[in-house]
Amino acid sequence: MQFNNVLIYVLLAAAAMSAALGELVDAAVIVGVVVINALIGFIQEGKAEQALDAIRDMLSPNAAVIRDGRRRTIPAEELVPGDLVQLASGDKVPADLRLIAARNLQIQESALTGESVPVSKSVDPVAPDAALGDRTPAAFSGTLVTVGQGTGLVVGTGDRTEIGRISTMIAGVETLTTPLLAQMAAFGRWLTVGILALAALAFAVGVWIQGFAMDDMFMAAVGLAVAAIPEGLPAVMTITLAIGVTRMARRNAIIRRLPAVETLGAVSVICSDKTGTLTRNELTVRRIVTAGAAYDVDGIGYEPSGGFRPDGQAADHRADPAADPVLAEIARAVLLCNDASVSERDGEWHLEGDPTDGALMTLALKAGLDQAGTNRDWPRIDLIPFESDHKFMATLHRGPGGSRRIYVKGAPERILEMASAERRPDGEAPVDAAEWHRRIEAMAAHGQRVLGIAVRDAGADQGTVEFADVTGGLTLLGLVGLIDPPREEAIEAVRACAAAGIRVKMITGDHAVTAGAIGAAFGLGEPRCSPAATSTGSTGAGCWRRHGPPTSSPAPRPSTSCGWSRRSRPTAPPSR
């Protein structure tokens, strides 16, 4: 790889000719220059490979496998098709699996689909041509188990996994030369032709015009060619690129090939993944809507800092959650109907459990509730876990004085179907479904994932919660809007790119409305919609800002001319 350069070939040819002419010192110098040049490139690129190998070792998972009827832990690379693998919360899926058992299993598949919300898994079969994000009985290598347990049969390892197939496709991409290498190759070719032409001219003039002996003129022509070759040019170029690699390494950027440094100076467009790259991959509650009020929620991530700002109020105005009984009840509901926890370790807040539950738990902590104290005052008696089939979670609690209450959260449309009343500041009233659907669409138009929160009082002696207890007669408390907030450093990076004349494009599997809202948060320029995109109803950020947000029905696949591409099914933002 280090010798694949026209100038290097010329230098090696010059060294051979110098040695043939008896100029051993010149030949040794030329060979030394070539070797030093190769060593610099080899050492620098070797350091990059070592850093990447260290990262791979850190990420290399183990697998809990059942072999010969016994459970054992083995390195993931030793798995073979037919092995039975057990999965638990926090595990990294070691291979592509066909699930044969799943208990409240949810897997984070953002590495494959870009979707920040974990996917609920089951053992029920799906169509053979189902989209990747719809393959609920499958677990894919490299994804992360967030909640639950499962057992799966290994059906693919290595290059036969979905993530391995992506790696194979990338490896098969034609290698493109950088502008500098292309220019140097062209320069080397012209230089070689020029030197050979000059040497031939000198030989012809000396022999046919000046009358010198042919052997003497041949030696003179070869000496002229060797002297004209710039031996130091490849070394200078390699050293310059190596300095750039070193400076990038100090900024935690690993560059595998030296010439790639040069391309950074010629970048005009950057295409970036959204989830976890531009965004934090940490869901955050951004808005709460009740029948009588609406609040914007400050703060990002799982750190419970931030306040509640009522609609229409100044930015510095904060509302006391305890002063609004409906808001306080929502905070208690999302804390109790929840299986996650957030805690501070080493100055950072960490989530244990589902990201959606983590965002709701953080909301409750922002409202001033104590997780341990609230769970102690309202102990859980029974629950209906969340499943994609019924799209809600319900918990039964025993409250102070022996009262019992059911809290429900889930997809807003599903909660509206089960609700017969809505909670207002002055009491309860019949639910206004049309108005709530309008509010849901307004929140979705801002790229938020929407959850409905409801409550129902239970009998004093009720010890279980059944579907019949919640499929009707609920009181709707309100809606909660969640987003995956952008990284502050990413916003600054996008701004710096714009100042440098570099266009930034966001690649995501999210619904186009969500992508548009996140793109606006980064200050990405309004993309231009092609006539085809507009006529088919595509909903890139610039499209829907000009032509209006889409309806609640699924949007067609948007044209990449709107600035975003999609990698998963074109469904509305999933709600949980």
Side-chain angles (χ1 to χ4, degrees):
M1 185 68 182
Q2 307 300 330
F3 295 94
N4 188 19
N5 186 296
V6 174
L7 285 178
I8 297 297
Y9 298 151
V10 174
L11 288 177
L12 292 176
M17 288 188 293
S18 296
L21 295 174
E23 302 292 339
L24 299 181
V25 175
D26 290 347
V29 169
I30 296 174
V31 171
V33 169
V34 172
V35 171
I36 292 173
N37 177 77
L39 283 176
I40 294 174
F42 178 78
I43 292 173
Q44 285 292 339
E45 294 178 1
K47 289 180 179 179
E49 291 295 337
Q50 290 174 3
L52 291 173
D53 289 340
I55 293 175
R56 294 190 190 101
D57 292 339
M58 291 172 60
L59 298 178
S60 179
N62 291 325
V65 62
I66 300 175
R67 286 182 176 175
D68 301 324
R70 293 186 303 172
R71 186 181 187 275
R72 62 181 68 179
T73 301
I74 64 173
E77 57 265 24
E78 296 182 9
L79 287 173
V80 296
D83 276 336
L84 276 178
V85 175
Q86 292 184 327
L87 301 175
S89 179
D91 287 349
K92 190 172 184 180
V93 180
D96 279 7
L97 309 177
R98 172 59 168 94
L99 296 174
I100 61 174
R103 182 180 179 184
N104 195 29
L105 181 63
Q106 296 182 19
I107 298 181
Q108 173 62 265
E109 297 181 343
S110 59
L112 290 174
T113 66
E115 177 56 63
S116 58
V117 176
V119 178
S120 296
K121 295 295 183 177
S122 69
V123 298
D124 298 330
V126 296
D129 58 348
L132 188 67
D134 292 331
R135 299 177 191 175
T136 53
F140 300 107
S141 177
T143 58
L144 182 67
V145 179
T146 58
V147 175
Q149 297 176 335
T151 302
L153 189 70
V154 176
V155 295
T157 60
D159 292 342
R160 296 183 180 273
T161 63
E162 289 295 330
I163 195 73
R165 187 174 298 115
I166 294 174
S167 299
T168 302
M169 292 169 61
I170 294 175
V173 174
E174 181 182 355
T175 302
L176 300 178
T177 186
T178 66
L180 178 61
L181 289 183
Q183 293 172 6
M184 292 303 300
F187 173 74
R189 289 192 295 269
W190 283 107
L191 181 64
T192 301
V193 171
I195 290 175
L196 293 178
L198 182 62
L201 178 63
F203 178 82
V205 170
V207 172
W208 292 323
I209 297 179
Q210 300 296 329
F212 294 126
M214 294 184 63
D215 54 347
D216 291 338
M217 283 309 305
F218 178 77
M219 297 291 293
V222 171
L224 177 63
V226 171
I229 295 174
E231 294 90 347
L233 180 58
V236 170
M237 185 177 67
T238 300
I239 292 172
T240 302
L241 295 177
I243 293 174
V245 169
T246 303
R247 290 179 177 176
M248 293 295 292
R250 292 171 184 166
R251 300 190 178 189
N252 301 320
I254 300 176
I255 298 177
R256 300 182 67 181
R257 297 288 179 261
L258 287 179
V261 178
E262 177 264 335
T263 62
L264 294 176
V267 169
S268 58
V269 177
I270 295 177
C271 295
S272 174
D273 182 39
K274 178 183 77 71
T275 305
T277 303
L278 293 176
T279 63
R280 297 171 61 91
N281 200 17
E282 296 177 352
L283 288 178
T284 300
V285 175
R286 184 51 55 88
R287 188 166 177 82
I288 300 175
V289 176
T290 67
Y295 300 89
D296 289 324
V297 184
D298 297 332
I300 58 175
Y302 301 122
E303 181 179 356
S305 61
F308 300 79
R309 179 168 55 86
D311 261 0
Q313 299 292 334
D316 58 349
H317 181 81
R318 293 293 181 268
D320 180 9
D324 185 339
V326 182
L327 179 59
E329 184 78 354
I330 289 176
R332 182 164 59 232
V334 299
L335 186 150
L336 295 174
C337 191
N338 199 310
D339 288 327
S341 64
V342 293
S343 59
E344 185 180 15
R345 296 195 302 269
D346 300 327
E348 294 185 359
W349 287 83
H350 299 272
L351 165 69
E352 296 292 337
D354 178 79
T356 301
D357 280 351
L360 296 176
M361 182 61 68
T362 302
L363 170 67
L365 298 182
K366 290 178 181 179
L369 297 182
D370 175 66
Q371 182 177 2
T374 304
N375 282 316
R376 183 174 57 252
D377 296 338
W378 292 82
R380 181 185 295 182
I381 301 173
D382 195 18
L383 85 157
I384 299 175
F386 177 87
E387 296 289 348
S388 57
D389 292 338
H390 52 257
K391 299 181 180 180
F392 68 83
M393 173 183 180
T395 55
L396 172 64
H397 300 267
R398 182 176 62 251
S403 63
R404 303 202 175 187
R405 190 169 295 173
I406 300 173
Y407 288 110
V408 185
K409 70 178 182 190
E413 296 85 358
R414 182 69 171 128
I415 299 297
L416 277 175
E417 291 175 1
M418 302 187 298
S420 59
E422 62 184 46
R423 182 72 57 83
R424 295 181 178 179
D426 56 352
E428 295 186 4
V431 64
D432 185 351
E435 177 62 19
W436 283 106
H437 279 294
R438 187 193 65 78
R439 292 167 180 164
I440 293 170
E441 291 183 4
M443 296 173 72
H446 286 85
Q448 298 175 4
R449 307 179 190 278
V450 186
L451 289 178
I453 311 297
V455 65
R456 180 179 183 178
D457 289 332
D461 59 347
Q462 184 170 338
T464 61
V465 56
E466 307 292 343
F467 280 96
D469 299 322
V470 295
T471 52
L474 298 181
T475 298
L476 179 64
L477 295 175
L479 304 173
V480 174
L482 304 94
I483 66 167
D484 183 6
R487 294 180 180 272
E488 293 297 327
E489 60 270 28
I491 294 176
E492 293 299 324
V494 171
R495 186 178 296 117
C497 289
I502 300 173
R503 299 173 60 196
V504 178
K505 291 181 177 289
M506 181 173 67
I507 303 174
T508 177
D510 275 340
H511 190 271
V513 173
T514 304
I518 295 296
F522 285 105
L524 297 180
E526 184 179 81
R528 293 174 295 178
C529 301
S530 67
T534 303
S535 63
T536 57
S538 298
T539 51
C543 305
W544 69 260
R545 278 202 298 269
R546 258 179 295 185
H547 307 298
T551 62
S552 57
S553 59
R557 180 179 297 271
S559 165
T560 54
S561 61
C562 284
W564 291 274
S565 64
R566 300 187 57 166
R567 295 177 296 178
S568 64
R569 59 194 185 280
T571 59
S575 300
R576 180 173 178 224

